[in-house]
């Protein structure tokens, strides 16, 4: 979410838009995050909890209502579930025609770490949010399919990566170990199934291959005592430098919207092996840019195939880079959003 919001805020054409960022902070937010946004982005802090909390959510709703009233925006673009619900409710209550867009970036009702009852509650909240108005902007074809279960007011705006920014980063120097490197990038959290990553690493780890987790998180304990080396939290540029130096990218997600980490790996010309979930299967063209595995055994089999064939790794990595250049550039993202925003204002 952070990377996507940063891309939008920094790249919207200033001859058409003034950009206001209403934000909350999470513990994984980069410490000097403000330096990653252009100075002319007007930043407004609004405390908001990720979890459902009636009292805190009511306070956030009231503060958000005051902000909408005071700044009176023509376009409101909401990112992730909590902001999506509260922002659409406030826009509905403000009784002023404005363009409202909501980017879920992974619907909460697809989460596997919560009970079926809670997932049903999240689905009903999304239905209520859709009733309040606005257009849902799905970040992948799979998410678009899920969005159509909620409303007919949906559209597709693919996630993107800044290729120039990635190309400017130098690869990390691992030395002369000669070991093949398989990695994942992101928070070590339930959604990324670290136990699955660990199990695969235990099956394939040897003197000629090592497994890396680029990032850190609350479930690091799942990897303790395993062959997986946890690299910990780091600045994004350093994370990209590691990505550029690995051989295979492995994504073990249980659910996704459209994973920026997979896009970045493809932009770095790495073949991707990923679980068969929304987002992953939208990005990875099976047998062309990598492989989609329906179970652990398939993931292990595809990894072995790539480990044993360096030419195939290079070929798939090149195809992945071509796909990102063609369909997932920042210029394509901004052009699409600008068109949607202007159309809504002129309606």
């Amino acid at each position: 979410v952070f990377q996507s919001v940063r891309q939008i805020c920094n790249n919207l054409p200033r001859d058409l838009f003034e950009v206001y960022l209403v934000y909350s902070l999470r513990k994984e937010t980069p410490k000097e995050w403000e330096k990653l946004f252009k100075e002319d982005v007007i930043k407004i802090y609004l405390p908001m909890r990720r979890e459902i909390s009636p009292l805190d959510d009511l306070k956030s709703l009231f503060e958000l209502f005051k902000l909408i009233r005071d700044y009176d925006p023509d376009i409101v673009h909401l990112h992730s579930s909590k902001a999506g619900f509260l922002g659409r409710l406030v826009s509905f209550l403000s009784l002023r025609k404005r363009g409202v867009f909501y980017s879920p970036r992974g619907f909460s009702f697809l989460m596997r770490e919560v009970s079926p009852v809670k997932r049903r509650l999240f689905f009903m909240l999304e239905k209520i949010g859709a009733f309040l108005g606005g257009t849902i902007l799905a970040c992948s074809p799979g998410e678009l399919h899920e969005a159509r279960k909620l409303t007919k007011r949906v559209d597709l705006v693919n996630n993107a990566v800044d290729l120039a920014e990635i190309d400017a980063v130098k690869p990390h120097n691992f030395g002369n170990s000669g070991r093949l490197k398989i990695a994942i990038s992101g928070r070590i959290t339930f959604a990324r199934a670290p136990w699955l990553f660990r199990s695969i690493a235990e099956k394939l780890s040897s003197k000629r291959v090592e497994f890396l987790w680029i990032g850190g998180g609350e479930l690091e304990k799942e990897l303790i005592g395993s062959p997986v080396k946890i690299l910990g939290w780091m600045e994004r540029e350093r994370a990209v430098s590691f990505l550029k130096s690995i051989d295979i990218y492995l994504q073990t997600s249980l659910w996704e919207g459209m994973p920026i980490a997979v896009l970045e790996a493809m932009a770095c010309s790495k073949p991707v092996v990923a679980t068969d979930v929304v987002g992953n299967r939208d990005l990875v063209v099976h047998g062309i840019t990598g492989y989609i595995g329906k179970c652990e055994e398939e993931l292990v089999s595809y990894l072995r195939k790539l480990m044993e064939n360096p030419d195939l790794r290079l070929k798939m990595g090149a195809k992945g880079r071509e796909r990102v250049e063609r369909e997932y550039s920042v210029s394509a993202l901004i052009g699409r959003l600008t068109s949607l925003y202007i159309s809504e204002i002129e309606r």
Side-chain angles (χ1 to χ4, degrees):
V1 176
F2 179 86
Q3 293 299 340
S4 296
V5 171
R6 183 173 76 96
Q7 289 168 355
I8 295 169
C9 288
N10 286 346
N11 291 285
L12 283 171
R14 296 309 198 256
D15 59 328
L16 296 174
F17 304 107
E18 288 181 350
V19 182
Y20 295 76
L21 173 64
V22 179
Y23 68 93
S24 297
L25 296 174
R26 296 180 183 177
K27 60 182 180 181
E28 66 268 22
T29 304
K31 290 182 180 179
E32 297 185 341
W33 67 269
E34 289 182 271
K35 293 182 179 179
L36 299 174
F37 286 80
K38 288 184 175 179
E39 290 185 2
D40 63 356
V41 176
I42 300 167
K43 305 166 188 71
I44 305 163
Y45 179 59
L46 174 64
M48 190 180 295
R49 292 183 58 178
R50 187 179 185 186
E51 302 80 12
I52 294 177
S53 173
L55 182 58
D56 289 331
D57 292 345
L58 190 61
K59 291 178 181 177
S60 298
L61 184 72
F62 180 70
E63 292 300 320
L64 193 55
F65 186 86
K66 288 197 297 183
L67 287 173
I68 292 290
R69 181 196 61 196
D70 293 345
Y71 288 96
D72 194 26
D74 300 293
I75 296 291
V76 176
H77 192 165
L78 308 155
H79 301 265
S80 75
S81 299
K82 176 64 72 72
F85 184 84
L86 296 182
R88 283 179 292 178
L89 178 56
V90 163
S91 297
F92 177 80
L93 295 174
S94 68
L95 301 177
R96 193 273 224 194
K97 184 183 179 300
R98 68 182 88 245
V100 178
F101 297 94
Y102 164 46
S103 295
R105 308 199 181 279
F107 280 115
S108 55
F109 60 77
L110 296 178
M111 294 168 61
R112 297 273 295 278
E113 65 185 305
V114 299
S115 68
V117 172
K118 207 165 188 178
R119 289 201 296 271
R120 184 64 184 170
L121 170 62
F122 289 153
F123 183 83
M124 293 308 299
L125 288 172
E126 291 285 1
K127 284 284 283 187
I128 294 169
F131 172 78
L132 295 171
T135 299
I136 297 178
L137 299 182
C139 64
S140 69
E143 188 167 86
L144 182 69
H145 174 76
E146 297 296 331
R148 285 178 173 146
K149 298 176 183 178
L150 303 168
T151 178
K152 294 180 180 179
R153 299 186 309 277
V154 298
D155 217 321
L156 176 64
V157 179
N158 286 324
N159 274 348
V161 289
D162 189 328
L163 291 169
E165 190 177 80
I166 286 176
D167 290 345
V169 176
K170 294 182 179 179
H172 179 77
N173 183 6
F174 281 107
N176 298 317
S177 70
R179 299 177 75 187
L180 202 71
K181 292 170 178 60
I182 299 173
I184 185 173
S185 178
R187 283 174 61 202
I188 305 176
T189 184
F190 189 95
R192 302 291 177 272
W195 57 88
L196 175 57
F197 193 86
R198 172 181 181 149
S199 180
I200 292 170
E202 289 172 341
K203 288 180 172 64
L204 294 175
S205 183
S206 69
K207 290 182 179 180
R208 58 182 289 261
V209 61
E210 63 180 325
F211 285 77
L212 308 172
W213 196 301
I214 304 169
E218 57 268 31
L219 290 187
E220 290 185 18
K221 62 182 182 292
E222 294 282 348
L223 301 174
I224 293 174
S226 78
V228 180
K229 182 178 181 180
I230 302 171
L231 299 181
W233 289 115
M234 62 186 74
E235 294 297 325
R236 182 171 176 275
E237 182 176 322
R238 188 157 182 259
V240 172
S241 76
F242 277 105
L243 268 184
K244 296 186 88 166
S245 301
I246 66 170
D247 299 285
I248 304 168
Y249 186 84
L250 171 61
Q251 186 82 351
T252 52
S253 329
L254 298 179
W255 71 89
E256 289 285 359
M258 177 180 281
I260 293 288
V262 171
L263 274 175
E264 290 180 335
M266 291 168 65
C268 293
S269 300
K270 305 304 173 184
V272 177
V273 176
T275 45
D276 186 17
V277 299
V278 168
N280 288 349
R281 58 174 171 255
D282 296 308
L283 281 178
V284 180
V285 183
H286 185 73
I288 304 296
T289 68
Y291 296 104
I292 294 293
K294 297 182 182 298
C295 61
E296 182 177 343
E297 289 71 24
E298 286 192 3
L299 294 170
V300 169
S301 175
Y302 292 137
L303 286 168
R304 280 202 174 104
K305 187 174 183 178
L306 285 167
M307 289 164 59
E308 294 165 3
N309 195 330
D311 289 338
L312 182 60
R313 295 199 299 269
L314 290 173
K315 182 180 178 181
M316 287 187 158
K319 290 291 184 182
R321 169 71 186 211
E322 289 173 11
R323 181 165 164 79
V324 172
E325 290 176 349
R326 186 173 62 250
E327 301 180 37
Y328 302 102
S329 67
V330 169
S331 60
L333 166 70
I334 297 302
R336 184 89 176 96
L337 279 178
T338 298
S339 176
L340 287 167
Y341 291 170
I342 295 298
S343 295
E344 193 66 28
I345 292 170
E346 293 176 346
R347 183 177 299 177

